[in-house]
Amino acid sequence: MKAVAYTEAGTIERDDALIDIDIPKPTPGPRDLLVAVDAISVNPVDTKIRKNVAPDAGAQKVLGWDAVGRVVEVGSAVTAFAPGDVVYYAGSLLRPGANSEFHLVDERLVASKPSSLSNAEAAALPLTAITAWEMLFDRLDVRKPVAGAANAILIIGGAGGVGSITIQLARALTDLTVIATASRPETRDWVGELGAHHVIDHSKPLADQIAALGIGAPAFVFSTTETHRHLAEIASLIAPQGRFGLIDDPQTLDVTGFKRKAVSIHWELMFTRSIFETPDMDEQGKLLAEVAALIDAGRIRTTVTNVLRPIDAKNLKQAHALIESGRARGKIVLEGF
């Protein structure tokens, strides 16, 4: 089967940063679905792994943790899906990625594709929707108020893939006032279209801009990117006893500035459940089913902004480069081999 992989970690500018290869079609284990992949999307995690994680000697590493496709075979213990089902999901970091014609995924991580979306539109959603959902409801517990705080969330990096779906989930499922950051006219327009009540500029000091809104100190802050740049401002603007969450990977994270306010700190990784096969691993399939229902009810929308065809090394290199530029808006999707 066709796939896109790399043999040596490094920069995207290298000719062999990503290469087209041919590998054997995998065989499903007991809980696995074998999916014929129709569409994928690219996330920052793909670029981080490609730059920093070398494959085993002589091996080829396939990336990709968002996929939409048709189930063609199921393992002996599978109960929820059957051949012919069209599904969407984000897989596991511990297994080969979905940048391949056929892909294995544990059924507990999977849901039926939103029926109202095309395959490309649906491929934009799984990893970011899981990340946003887990941050809002499992980590920050935004349905539990913070005494004396503004019932508001600040989303830093609102126009990125995770920010774009977090805004929508917060609007659809909570009564939070949503404040998103964006620094360019097109990204400010984007987060406004997605439902942000207020938009502030993350290229300028954040605390003064929050104060100028006149709504009080927000109970929740979710930093999706550049946390190291904004940490002191976050500590200044967040409410006492507020909750702060992040998903990026700062080299250092000095959280002493949060002590005086007794701010709790939550680091989200959507792969945790699949890496450790936690007892609640099936929550990811369940929440994707809820996201699909919200999509089909017209309450939230896809975050795809760019579709490249076909799925090959050339187009994946283009997508990686755009994400690494820091100027991507929404999600980049590739469709068809």
Side-chain angles (χ1 to χ4, degrees):
M1 66 175 183
K2 294 179 181 178
V4 180
Y6 69 99
T7 59
E8 184 178 340
T11 66
I12 197 62
E13 291 80 16
R14 296 169 46 220
D15 290 340
D16 62 349
L18 294 168
I19 56 174
D20 295 306
I21 62 171
D22 192 80
I23 54 177
K25 185 167 72 172
T27 301
R31 298 297 301 270
D32 287 341
L33 310 178
L34 180 63
V35 177
V37 174
D38 291 312
I40 60 166
S41 75
V42 183
N43 294 282
V45 64
D46 301 61
T47 70
K48 293 173 185 176
I49 291 175
R50 191 212 72 246
K51 286 191 292 186
N52 300 305
V53 180
D56 295 335
Q60 300 163 319
K61 189 171 184 64
V62 179
L63 301 170
W65 289 280
D66 267 329
V68 173
R70 178 176 48 85
V71 177
V72 295
E73 191 176 343
V74 300
S76 59
V78 168
T79 59
F81 298 95
D85 290 342
V86 181
V87 296
Y88 80 141
Y89 59 89
S92 168
L93 278 180
L94 301 184
R95 307 186 73 173
N99 296 345
S100 56
E101 282 188 279
F102 296 91
H103 184 240
L104 290 179
V105 62
D106 189 298
E107 67 167 335
R108 290 170 288 183
L109 303 176
V110 175
S112 296
K113 179 187 79 70
S115 60
S116 60
L117 297 185
S118 69
N119 289 340
E121 290 169 333
L125 292 168
L127 186 148
T128 54
I130 295 168
T131 300
W133 188 290
E134 290 184 349
M135 179 58 84
L136 288 172
F137 304 118
D138 296 339
R139 314 294 175 234
L140 295 179
D141 195 10
V142 298
R143 291 181 173 129
K144 180 182 178 182
V146 173
N151 188 38
I153 184 169
L154 170 63
I155 302 167
I156 299 173
V162 172
S164 294
I165 194 67
T166 305
I167 292 167
Q168 296 186 75
L169 290 175
R171 287 300 311 269
L173 299 176
T174 79
D175 60 355
L176 290 167
T177 296
V178 177
I179 310 159
T181 78
S183 61
R184 291 176 282 137
E186 62 269 29
T187 53
R188 292 178 67 88
D189 289 346
W190 172 252
V191 298
E193 290 170 14
L194 295 175
H197 294 96
H198 305 284
V199 184
I200 64 174
D201 187 343
H202 50 239
S203 70
K204 300 174 182 177
L206 298 176
D208 288 346
Q209 295 179 79
I210 292 292
L213 296 177
I215 63 173
F220 313 104
V221 177
F222 178 15
S223 179
T224 72
T225 186
E226 297 288 310
T227 297
H228 64 285
R229 288 183 48 219
H230 304 297
L231 202 62
E233 289 282 315
I234 295 166
S236 173
L237 67 87
I238 196 169
Q241 303 186 93
R243 301 181 205 124
F244 166 58
L246 70 157
I247 57 171
D248 59 332
D249 303 291
Q251 290 187 352
T252 61
L253 191 71
D254 182 356
V255 298
T256 55
F258 292 109
K259 180 178 181 179
R260 187 165 177 263
K261 289 184 174 178
V263 169
S264 60
I265 299 155
H266 306 264
W267 221 322
E268 159 65 12
L269 179 67
M270 61 126 308
F271 294 114
T272 296
R273 281 173 161 142
S274 57
I275 288 172
F276 295 98
E277 295 196 9
T278 60
D280 63 350
M281 181 172 158
D282 63 347
E283 287 298 315
Q284 293 197 339
K286 293 176 182 177
L287 76 83
L288 284 177
E290 292 194 54
V291 170
L294 290 169
I295 288 280
D296 289 338
R299 298 182 66 190
I300 64 175
R301 72 190 216 196
T302 182
T303 55
V304 63
T305 54
N306 193 2
V307 181
L308 304 175
R309 300 179 179 88
I311 302 169
D312 62 12
K314 178 182 177 182
N315 282 332
L316 272 167
K317 286 178 70 174
Q318 181 181 337
H320 278 230
L322 182 55
I323 287 175
E324 290 179 352
S325 75
R327 298 182 66 81
R329 177 175 58 89
K331 289 298 297 292
I332 305 166
V333 170
L334 284 78
E335 185 176 33
F337 279 91

